[in-house]
């Protein structure tokens, strides 16, 4: 993706000063959001840091900010556009900052899957649930069909609600979050879950499998969390006696079951903050966050779960040159890389998001251990 205009060179020694000057010139007209997985060079300019849904809500809570600069990925900026007013403009500094997981569920594929369920006579009893890490198109589909959006913090509450509405769930797009929540938190068996592959006829499943399943899991995953393996867990336990293994529920089922603690990004941060000095932690989530936690808590031994380090390549697309370029263009009166969701999709996506907000219980459950 090429930026219209001149992108500053990464070697420019004045990048930090230029970003600070542009942000100061914009004043309260701009509100910068930074996802936890962003680079340190970018996160230092964020007015608020958090996970995707927290940031979208923070944007909606700043109606006076004309520009929302979202340092994250595309689906996050879409959610911010859905939740903010028409007068606000959401900007993604680099349009190439996508999400491989969100891209694994395309609207046409999901509509085909729904047609399969309809032909089998089970669509009426199926409630679609989509993870926040999905496109606006998928959120809109879910809203049209009476479903709900969930986060990694409230997935169980969303599924509890869904099973009050119907007999089965189509869970999009992350198979691991769906499986881990259903089996480890709701008492389902692995046999209650089937994996729908959009690249195969009928998802690669028989009519009997689709009729009998309670959880129809979409074949999608996070490229970062999916790389952690059971060998990673076993290896770190051998190398670091007494280590606590703390992972995100987007990790594979066998990794989650072998871990000591499992939870969302916010949960991971709170768990590390509350941990006693001298404790050791192997964390299975994106490397930028793990490094930041290690620097913030030098009294604890905090390490990346896998020996091979891995950043989220699309999150890393947002770098300081792109942020400087976006801010300086706004100072010059030019709105670049604006993210907009068409009104019909935005309406139905908002229905699914509002249904999530209406779920009973607090936004974030108390920490639990496996």
């Amino acid at each position: 993706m090429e930026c219209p205009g001149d992108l500053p060179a990464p070697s420019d020694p004045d990048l930090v000063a230029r970003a600070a000057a542009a942000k100061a010139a914009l004043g309260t007209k701009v509100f910068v959001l930074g996802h936890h997985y962003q680079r340190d060079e970018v996160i230092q300019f964020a007015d608020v840091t958090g996970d995707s849904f927290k940031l979208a809500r923070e944007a909606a809570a700043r109606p006076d900010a004309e520009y929302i600069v979202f340092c994250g990925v595309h689906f996050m900026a879409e959610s911010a556009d859905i939740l903010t007013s028409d007068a606000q403009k959401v900007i993604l500094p680099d349009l190439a900052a996508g999400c491989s997981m969100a891209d694994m569920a395309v609207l046409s594929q999901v509509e085909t899957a729904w047609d399969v369920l309809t032909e089998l006579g089970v669509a009426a009893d199926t409630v679609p649930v989509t993870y926040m890490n999905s496109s606006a198109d998928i959120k809109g589909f879910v809203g049209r069909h009476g479903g709900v959006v969930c986060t990694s913090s409230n997935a169980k509450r969303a599924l509890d609600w869904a099973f009050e509405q119907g007999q089965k769930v189509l869970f999009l797009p992350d198979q691991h979050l769906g499986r881990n929540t259903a089996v480890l938190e709701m008492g389902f068996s692995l046999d209650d879950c089937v994996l729908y592959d959009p690249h195969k006829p009928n998802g690669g499943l028989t009519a009997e499998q689709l009729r009998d399943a309670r959880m129809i899991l979409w074949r999608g995953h996070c490229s970062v969390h999916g790389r952690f393996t059971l060998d990673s867990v076993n290896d770190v336990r051998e190398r670091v006696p007494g280590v606590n293994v703390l992972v995100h529920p987007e990790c594979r089922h066998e990794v989650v079951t072998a871990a000591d603690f499992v939870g969302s990004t916010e949960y991971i941060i709170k768990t590390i903050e509350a941990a006693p000095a001298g404790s050791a932690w192997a964390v299975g989530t994106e490397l930028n966050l793990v490094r930041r936690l290690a620097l913030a808590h030098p009294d604890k031994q905090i390490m990346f779960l896998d020996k091979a380090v891995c950043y989220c390549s699309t999150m890393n697309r947002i770098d300081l040159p792109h942020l400087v370029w976006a801010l300086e263009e706004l100072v010059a009166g030019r709105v670049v890389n604006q993210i907009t969701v068409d009104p019909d999709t935005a309406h139905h996506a908002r229905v699914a998001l509002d249904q999530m907000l209406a779920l009973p219980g607090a936004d974030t459950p108390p920490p639990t251990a496996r």
Side-chain angles (χ1 to χ4, degrees):
M1 290 277 196
E2 295 296 327
C3 294
D6 296 325
L7 189 67
S11 59
D12 185 341
D14 297 324
L15 283 177
V16 171
R18 287 173 64 177
K23 192 165 183 282
L26 290 165
T28 57
K29 290 175 65 176
V30 70
F31 191 61
V32 179
L33 303 173
H35 191 273
H36 287 307
Y37 298 167
Q38 288 291 295
R39 302 164 179 250
D40 288 344
E41 68 187 49
V42 170
I43 211 77
Q44 65 180 312
F45 293 104
D47 294 301
V48 173
T49 60
D51 61 16
S52 58
F53 184 57
K54 174 186 173 182
L55 294 177
R57 292 185 74 178
E58 288 285 350
R62 301 300 194 287
D64 295 334
E66 183 179 350
Y67 307 118
I68 305 295
V69 176
F70 209 124
C71 297
V73 294
H74 196 271
F75 79 81
M76 301 178 187
E78 284 184 329
S79 296
D81 183 60
I82 291 166
L83 293 174
T84 51
S85 72
D86 292 340
Q88 294 174 286
K89 297 177 176 63
V90 178
I91 292 136
L92 186 65
D94 187 347
L95 292 178
C99 172
S100 59
M101 180 202 295
D103 292 343
M104 290 176 191
V106 178
L107 180 60
S108 60
Q109 295 173 333
V110 177
E111 289 175 334
T112 297
W114 197 255
D115 289 342
V116 170
L117 299 179
T118 301
E119 290 170 8
L120 290 175
V122 297
D125 292 325
T126 302
V127 179
V129 177
T130 190
Y131 190 21
M132 191 73 183
N133 300 25
S134 58
S135 69
D137 283 343
I138 299 304
K139 292 184 180 75
F141 172 90
V142 168
R144 289 186 187 92
H145 291 86
V148 64
V149 177
C150 76
T151 68
S152 52
S153 294
N154 66 16
K156 181 183 182 298
R157 291 201 304 280
L159 287 176
D160 284 338
W161 175 87
F163 280 108
E164 291 172 0
Q165 318 305 311
Q167 299 300 311
K168 60 179 73 215
V169 162
L170 172 62
F171 193 90
L172 305 154
D174 181 28
Q175 58 170 301
H176 300 304
L177 177 62
R179 182 183 296 106
N180 290 330
T181 305
V183 175
L184 300 178
E185 296 189 53
M186 301 178 67
F188 285 31
S189 72
L190 289 174
D191 291 336
D192 290 324
C193 308
V194 295
L195 189 61
Y196 187 99
D197 187 339
H199 302 291
K200 295 180 179 179
N202 290 340
L205 300 166
T206 65
E208 182 180 13
Q209 286 176 310
L210 285 168
R211 288 194 181 102
D212 291 345
R214 298 193 68 192
M215 288 285 292
I216 302 171
L217 305 170
W218 195 260
R219 193 179 185 89
H221 65 275
C222 170
S223 58
V224 171
H225 292 108
R227 71 175 288 112
F228 300 116
T229 65
L230 185 57
D231 286 343
S232 304
V233 177
N234 293 335
D235 176 73
V236 79
R237 290 199 191 282
E238 290 180 6
R239 288 187 290 110
V240 186
V243 69
N244 297 280
V245 178
L246 170 62
V247 303
H248 195 282
E250 289 176 19
C251 292
R252 303 179 195 193
H253 186 67
E254 60 268 24
V255 172
V256 167
T257 54
D260 301 300
F261 299 86
V262 183
S264 66
T265 304
E266 295 287 346
Y267 168 84
I268 288 172
I269 294 169
K270 291 178 181 178
T271 300
I272 293 294
E273 289 175 344
S279 55
W281 296 84
V283 186
T285 193
E286 207 276 337
L287 183 57
N288 274 316
L289 175 60
V290 178
R291 289 182 59 196
R292 197 171 297 125
L293 287 171
L295 289 172
H297 301 279
D299 59 329
K300 302 158 193 174
Q301 187 180 1
I302 300 169
M303 67 208 77
F304 194 59
L305 177 57
D306 196 18
K307 280 184 175 179
V309 298
C310 181
Y311 294 99
C312 176
S313 60
T314 49
M315 281 282 188
N316 255 25
R317 297 286 311 198
I318 308 295
D319 56 13
L320 198 49
H322 281 87
L323 178 60
V324 168
W325 169 76
L327 291 173
E328 289 183 342
E329 288 294 292
L330 291 177
V331 172
R334 294 184 291 268
V335 178
V336 294
N337 290 6
Q338 183 178 355
I339 302 300
T340 58
V341 179
D342 71 87
D344 182 67
T345 299
H347 167 75
H348 291 287
R350 182 66 185 258
V351 169
L353 286 164
D354 284 344
Q355 182 56 63
M356 178 178 72
L357 293 174
L359 293 173
D363 281 348
T364 304
T368 55
R370 284 221 54 76

